[in-house]
Amino acid sequence: MNLNTQYLARAEQTARLREAEQCRPGRRLAGAIRTSRQAERLAQQARLALARTF
């Protein structure tokens, strides 16, 4: 009986680890998109500031 619960616990842990690994790329992508948008916004502000000086 004890071995069965250990096997079940390991199987559950493995399933959770796989699920967590699958979520990671999405978080990285979301972070990259956020950073890209921020960079675009800053570049636009810089272009606007440069245009105002002329």
Side-chain angles (χ1 to χ4, degrees), residues 1-17:
M1 190 72 163
N2 193 17
L3 287 178
N4 287 337
T5 54
Q6 287 179 356
Y7 288 134
L8 288 173
R10 285 184 189 152
E12 187 175 340
Q13 182 181 16
T14 302
R16 287 183 181 176
L17 285 173

Side-chain angles (χ1 to χ4, degrees), residues 14-46:
T14 302
R16 287 183 181 176
L17 285 173
R18 284 186 189 145
E19 185 179 348
E21 287 173 357
Q22 289 174 353
C23 290
R24 282 187 192 140
R27 285 185 144 180
R28 287 186 198 145
L29 179 60
I33 290 171
R34 199 175 313 114
T35 302
S36 175
R37 286 183 185 154
Q38 184 180 10
E40 289 174 10
R41 197 168 38 247
L42 291 173
Q44 179 63 30
Q45 289 174 358

